Amino acid sequence: MKIFKYTVWIFLLFLLQTVVMNYIAPFGFRPDLILPFVAAAAIKEDSFKSATIVSVVCAAAAGALSGKNFSFCVLFYTYAGAMIFNMRRRPRYMPDFLRFLMWVVPTSIISEAVSYLLLYSSVKWFASAFVFHMLPTAGMTALFGAIIYFFVSKTLFGRKKIMGKLTIS
């Protein structure tokens, strides 16, 4: 049943990413919906194997969507999922939700920065693109990621902790 739920979530997020986000694009920025899902699965999943399988499947699908940057997307999402899984308990004494945001924002900034450099291969306008495009996109990704995190926590992981002692019944 969990594999079916993961499949539905991945299909739904890729449908939203490709169809809906092109029309919504809050303030002109298209947030990445796949990276927060990979991060949520890596933080909430109990085994490294299942977290890595989820990140590899999302990586292959994201790479297929990106086209030109296929190898970057596959490597980035896979390594991001593995890294977040291995560091998911750091820092200690912090709720999972704040850890989730702490990992989504920097990985989103890194993803946008490397994608920019791969696409344009120029550092001439990098500073202005960083301030006016990459940081707001990372903020939108974190905002939409927070929504995704709560729904993924409820539907895939049921009664696990979401924010410290708060549990979903």
Side-chain angles (χ1 to χ4, degrees):
M1 187 67 177
K2 195 168 190 177
I3 295 172
F4 177 72
K5 289 180 182 180
Y6 269 122
T7 306
V8 168
W9 264 106
I10 292 170
F11 178 74
L12 178 70
L13 287 175
F14 278 98
L15 189 67
L16 286 172
Q17 182 75 37
T18 56
V19 177
V20 177
M21 282 300 147
N22 288 333
Y23 296 110
I24 295 176
F27 303 110
F29 305 108
R30 272 187 50 205
D32 186 4
L33 301 179
I34 307 341
L35 183 63
F37 180 73
V38 169
I43 287 175
K44 290 293 198 176
E45 199 60 58
D46 290 333
S47 71
F48 180 74
K49 179 182 175 184
S50 53
T52 306
I53 289 172
V54 169
S55 66
V56 167
V57 169
C58 288
L65 287 177
S66 71
K68 187 175 178 181
N69 294 330
F70 179 78
S71 57
F72 165 70
C73 283
V74 169
L75 289 174
F76 181 77
Y77 282 100
T78 304
Y79 287 142
M83 179 192 66
I84 292 171
F85 179 82
N86 288 324
M87 298 296 291
R88 68 181 185 209
R89 298 293 173 223
R90 303 285 189 265
R92 292 183 184 191
Y93 311 114
M94 182 183 245
D96 283 346
F97 178 70
L98 294 179
R99 284 189 198 127
F100 168 78
L101 290 177
M102 185 192 78
W103 286 110
V104 165
V105 172
T107 52
S108 177
I109 291 171
I110 292 169
S111 172
E112 291 292 325
V114 173
S115 295
Y116 178 83
L117 291 174
L118 285 175
L119 285 174
Y120 301 112
S121 57
S122 170
V123 294
K124 183 177 181 181
W125 302 106
F126 185 78
S128 65
F130 183 79
V131 172
F132 296 114
H133 175 70
M134 294 175 208
L135 289 179
T137 303
M140 288 292 170
T141 299
L143 179 69
F144 280 87
I147 297 166
I148 290 169
Y149 178 81
F150 280 115
F151 284 119
V152 165
S153 294
K154 183 168 176 72
T155 58
L156 285 177
F157 301 102
R159 307 194 95 186
K160 290 195 175 189
K161 292 180 182 178
I162 288 185
M163 292 183 69
K165 296 177 183 173
L166 176 67
T167 57
I168 292 179
S169 50

